[in-house]
Amino acid sequence: MFCLQQLSCIYYMKKKLIFILAIICFLVGCNRESNKSEKLAVSSEMADNNNDSNQNKLLWESIVGKVWMKETWSASEAYEDISFVITSVEQGKLEGQFLEKGVLATDVSLYSKKTNNNMVLAGNYNEYRAELTFKEGENIKGKLNISLKNENLLSVGINYIGHKKNTFKFKPYNLKDLETDIRAEFDNDITDIALEKWGKIKFVSVIRTSTKRKTLFIYLVDDKENILYDFSGSMEFPSDFKVNDFLFKDINDDGREDLLLILGGITDLELHKIIIYDQNEMGGFEVNIKMTRKINKKMNKAKKYSIQNIIDCLGY
């Protein structure tokens, strides 16, 4: 009788122990699942934050390289107000240059390590808003509070140190702004190109006709014809010349696409001029004076002004 009671007691204790172990396993399993769920939730939140950050960066990248000017500006008059260019977008940060009076030149003075008369522009962005300071040397002159409306419209609060803040709408500098100049007529030649540094853009040669002469201007513009780069900003092209042909090609073997430009006389078809630009690491184009002189001297003797003849003459 004692043995049966003892066995019954042992059996009961085993069942109880098994039940307790089952509860512990269940609780441990639930805790693991809870930890997994928490980790998944954190990972999902981090992914959402990264997506938002990347999306914001893409929005701000859409304004890079454009010259921003007041929307109220009339192209029939000289622009004598502030303009600025955003040159780079990093995570949460914007950098660029600011000009207090006039159209900021988007030429090699902007896209190189050379000094210029522009102020340094830098600050932070968050979603659709940015706050940037503009400095002359080490002295902060003021702030820009930018609200991004779309890729072609900004609301900008301008606050000079010691002055009241004023807010204006800004638009990009565009080919249309040149064409509405009542002092001249324009003849545009636009070609789609793709450059590694600049992406898909358009190469534009513009002939401005005045009473005395025809003046050539050359630009790189985006798909909306906003002006991104001005070749005529760093050198004045000869009067009464037009672009006969051009080629972007790595001429100096540095891995960047340089520009080979053939100009021809508008009225005097015997006149020709070749200009070779080297592209620097920042995307700016500088005239290679030595090579330009050398190739013009050779081609003046050959009198065969074609891209292929020039390439052959250069030894490519």
Side-chain angles (χ1 to χ4, degrees):
M1 184 72 177
F2 175 77
C3 290
L4 287 174
Q5 287 179 341
Q6 192 175 30
L7 287 172
S8 176
C9 183
I10 292 170
Y11 176 73
Y12 174 76
M13 289 177 66
K14 281 184 177 181
K15 285 185 68 177
K16 190 174 182 180
L17 181 61
I18 290 170
F19 178 72
I20 292 170
L21 288 173
I23 291 175
I24 291 171
C25 289
F26 175 76
L27 291 174
V28 169
C30 286
N31 188 47
R32 285 178 180 171
E33 289 300 319
S34 177
N35 288 339
K36 285 182 182 178
S37 298
E38 287 177 6
K39 287 179 181 179
L40 285 172
V42 169
S43 298
S44 178
E45 186 177 351
M46 288 177 65
D48 288 341
N49 289 337
N50 287 334
N51 288 335
D52 290 343
S53 177
N54 291 334
Q55 187 64 30
N56 291 339
K57 187 171 182 287
L58 287 173
L59 287 171
W60 286 102
E61 283 177 346
S62 70
I63 75 167
V64 168
K66 302 169 184 177
V67 184
W68 291 93
M69 307 164 66
K70 284 185 180 176
E71 190 181 43
T72 53
W73 169 61
S74 172
S76 62
E77 300 176 357
Y79 185 77
E80 297 183 348
D81 216 320
I82 76 165
S83 60
F84 64 91
V85 175
I86 303 298
T87 54
S88 69
V89 180
E90 297 300 332
Q91 291 296 337
K93 296 186 179 298
L94 301 177
E95 291 184 354
Q97 294 191 20
F98 175 93
L99 185 63
E100 194 168 16
K101 188 177 181 180
V103 181
L104 194 149
T106 52
D107 56 15
V108 72
S109 67
L110 177 65
Y111 294 102
S112 71
K113 296 178 181 179
K114 296 179 179 180
T115 57
N116 55 42
N117 296 322
N118 304 329
M119 298 187 204
V120 174
L121 192 61
N124 301 320
Y125 71 85
N126 184 11
E127 295 185 333
Y128 299 101
R129 297 184 180 276
E131 183 176 285
L132 312 178
T133 59
F134 49 93
K135 298 195 301 182
E136 190 171 35
E138 294 301 318
N139 300 320
I140 296 176
K141 294 293 185 177
K143 291 184 179 180
L144 297 184
N145 295 101
I146 302 175
S147 177
L148 177 58
K149 300 302 182 182
N150 59 57
E151 62 180 10
N152 289 305
L153 182 64
L154 303 177
S155 177
V156 181
I158 307 166
N159 190 2
Y160 284 94
I161 299 296
H163 292 78
K164 183 180 177 182
K165 183 171 113 173
N166 293 298
T167 302
F168 303 91
K169 289 183 179 178
F170 276 66
K171 66 174 184 178
Y173 192 38
N174 193 279
L175 282 183
K176 291 179 181 177
D177 295 321
L178 298 176
E179 292 167 351
T180 55
D181 188 334
I182 61 173
R183 295 166 295 182
E185 296 178 356
F186 290 83
D187 180 21
N188 295 357
D189 187 15
I190 302 178
T191 306
D192 291 323
I193 60 172
L195 300 178
E196 185 173 342
K197 184 72 176 180
W198 291 87
K200 291 183 179 180
I201 50 175
K202 298 174 186 289
F203 179 87
V204 183
S205 60
V206 177
I207 297 172
R208 191 164 88 172
T209 305
S210 63
T211 54
K212 294 182 179 179
R213 62 180 184 175
K214 295 178 184 291
T215 306
L216 175 65
F217 298 86
I218 299 175
Y219 304 100
L220 298 178
V221 302
D222 64 14
D223 59 342
K224 300 290 192 304
E225 298 188 356
N226 297 314
I227 295 172
L228 304 178
Y229 194 87
D230 182 2
F231 287 94
S232 34
S234 56
M235 80 167 289
E236 187 175 339
F237 296 111
S239 301
D240 299 320
F241 272 78
K242 61 184 176 63
V243 175
N244 276 2
D245 208 349
F246 70 93
L247 176 69
F248 285 91
K249 179 182 175 65
D250 184 10
I251 296 173
N252 56 9
D253 295 323
D254 63 356
R256 295 185 286 269
E257 296 148 308
D258 309 307
L259 173 60
L260 174 57
L261 188 64
I262 303 177
L263 305 182
I266 295 174
T267 53
D268 188 348
L269 301 182
E270 296 299 317
L271 291 177
H272 293 86
K273 185 175 180 62
I274 300 162
I275 304 174
I276 296 176
Y277 291 85
D278 294 336
Q279 185 179 177
N280 63 34
E281 61 185 5
M282 295 177 67
F285 293 87
E286 303 184 53
V287 177
N288 187 321
I289 297 173
K290 184 178 179 180
M291 191 175 285
T292 293
R293 286 175 178 170
K294 184 178 179 180
I295 195 65
N296 276 286
K297 189 175 180 180
K298 285 186 177 182
M299 297 310 295
N300 283 339
K301 293 179 180 179
K303 294 188 181 298
K304 293 181 180 179
Y305 291 91
S306 70
I307 291 292
Q308 189 57 54
N309 285 334
I310 295 171
I311 292 296
D312 293 342
C313 189
L314 290 170
Y316 289 93

